Amino acid sequence: MVQAAGQHSVVTITRTPEKIAIDDVEARFGDYDQPSSLIEAYKGLDRLLLIPSSEVKPGRRSEQFIAAIDAAVEAGVPHIVLISSTGARNTEKTNIAYDYFVSEQHLMRKASKWSILRMNYYSEYFIMDAQMSLAYGVLSGLTESKVAFVSRDDIATAAAGLLLGDDHEGAIYNGTGPESLTGAQRAELIAKVSGKPLSFITIPVETLQDQLQQGELPAEIINLVVNTQQNFSNGDYDIVTGDIEKLSGRPARSLESILSTTTFQ
């Protein structure tokens, strides 16, 4: 983002700038995996929002974030905003929570001004779980965990509010949904919205791993799914805040409202 004479202009950094056709939005080429491209892309920005890539290999997201943070510092960006994750902590390096922890620590050390917006587990990801579970009539988890699912749109509007607002330097926000739901509550909600029966069961981690291996999924995906379920069980996503409304000016959407707009097969 660039600010001049009290006006804000938006600059988007992407690997495919030719696909950006939005009025008053400047598109620049930049690739997390090509750090030299980021230095040029970030020049002249007053505030920068760093969004996680879809990379699933352990360690890659933190490598990308570290490269982007270093590039932004070299480019002279005064304020860097990082999209992180609730549950970020110093844990096993194979856990995605570690990638976010390392990235946050690097940001705090290197940036002159910084802010962090931690996202809870996305409602949109849960919809995929719901669709698959309905095919078998069972939603499973490692424990009767609680999760405050948040929509991508809510995180996006909260991030925009953070970028445009003041007094966020050194702040860490947790973007969550309005309620934390147990596994049984999630299954009940899916059944209500879809009109199809669904129950919730707990399974050992070995069973989950076997099921995923039978599906011939890549090792990185299996690790990510298992890690996510373990993080559910650890309570990493069992947190409810008002930070979405504080930053965006509107309440966070409930999981039920998002599921209600979904067509279930």
Side-chain angles (χ1 to χ4, degrees), residues 10 27 71 99 104 120 125 135 141 147 163 174 201 231 239:
V10 176
D99 268 344
E104 288 185 1
N120 214 309
Y125 289 165
V147 180
L163 285 171
N174 290 285
I201 63 170
N231 292 345
I239 176 175

Side-chain angles (χ1 to χ4, degrees), residues 24-264:
D24 300 321
V25 173
E26 178 187 352
R28 300 178 184 176
F29 174 79
D31 188 337
Y32 280 154
D33 295 325
Q34 298 180 39
S36 60
S37 71
L38 299 177
I39 298 172
E40 187 64 30
Y42 295 159
K43 286 182 178 178
L45 301 183
D46 294 297
R47 295 180 185 179
L48 171 67
L49 176 68
L50 296 178
I51 302 171
S53 72
S54 58
E55 181 65 58
V56 297
K57 184 178 179 180
R60 284 297 295 136
R61 284 190 182 181
S62 56
E63 290 174 0
Q64 291 174 334
F65 270 152
I66 287 171
I69 292 165
D70 288 345
V73 171
E74 185 170 342
V77 179
H79 192 158
I80 304 173
V81 178
L82 179 72
I83 299 294
S84 184
S85 173
T86 57
R89 65 192 187 283
N90 189 8
T91 183
E92 297 84 3
K93 293 183 179 180
T94 55
N95 193 317
I96 195 169
Y98 181 81
D99 268 344
Y100 286 114
F101 168 79
V102 170
S103 302
E104 288 185 1
Q105 294 298 305
H106 192 75
L107 177 71
M108 295 174 189
R109 287 193 301 268
K110 302 288 283 190
S112 57
K113 295 180 182 179
W114 58 266
S115 304
I116 295 171
L117 175 57
R118 291 174 174 167
M119 56 184 173
N120 214 309
Y121 194 79
Y122 280 142
S123 303
E124 290 80 2
Y125 289 165
F126 179 70
I127 289 173
M128 294 188 289
D129 295 339
Q131 295 276 22
M132 290 186 291
S133 298
L134 282 170
Y136 300 97
V138 173
L139 177 69
S140 64
L142 300 182
T143 62
E144 184 64 68
S145 54
K146 297 184 70 177
V147 180
F149 298 93
V150 68
S151 76
R152 280 176 167 163
D153 285 348
D154 284 342
I155 290 294
T157 55
L162 199 164
L163 285 171
L164 293 170
D166 297 317
D167 301 322
H168 299 304
E169 181 182 344
I172 300 177
Y173 297 103
N174 290 285
T176 78
E179 58 183 344
S180 192
L181 303 173
T182 66
Q185 289 172 323
R186 300 195 291 271
E188 182 180 354
L189 186 56
I190 296 168
K192 174 184 174 182
V193 172
S194 68
K196 300 178 180 180
L198 188 70
S199 59
F200 179 79
I201 63 170
T202 58
I203 59 175
V205 65
E206 294 79 14
T207 300
L208 175 61
Q209 290 171 327
D210 288 344
Q211 291 174 346
L212 296 171
Q213 288 168 353
Q214 289 172 13
E216 299 182 348
L217 295 172
E220 290 85 0
I221 297 297
I222 293 175
N223 177 70
L224 180 63
V225 173
V226 172
N227 276 175
T228 298
Q229 287 296 325
Q230 290 173 327
N231 292 345
F232 277 14
S233 298
N234 291 337
D236 288 2
Y237 304 106
D238 182 16
I239 176 175
V240 176
T241 75
D243 287 348
I244 292 291
E245 184 169 9
K246 177 178 180 178
L247 294 171
S248 69
R250 71 184 193 193
R253 297 174 62 197
S254 68
L255 181 61
E256 181 173 2
S257 71
I258 297 168
L259 289 175
S260 297
T261 64
T262 303
T263 300
F264 291 96

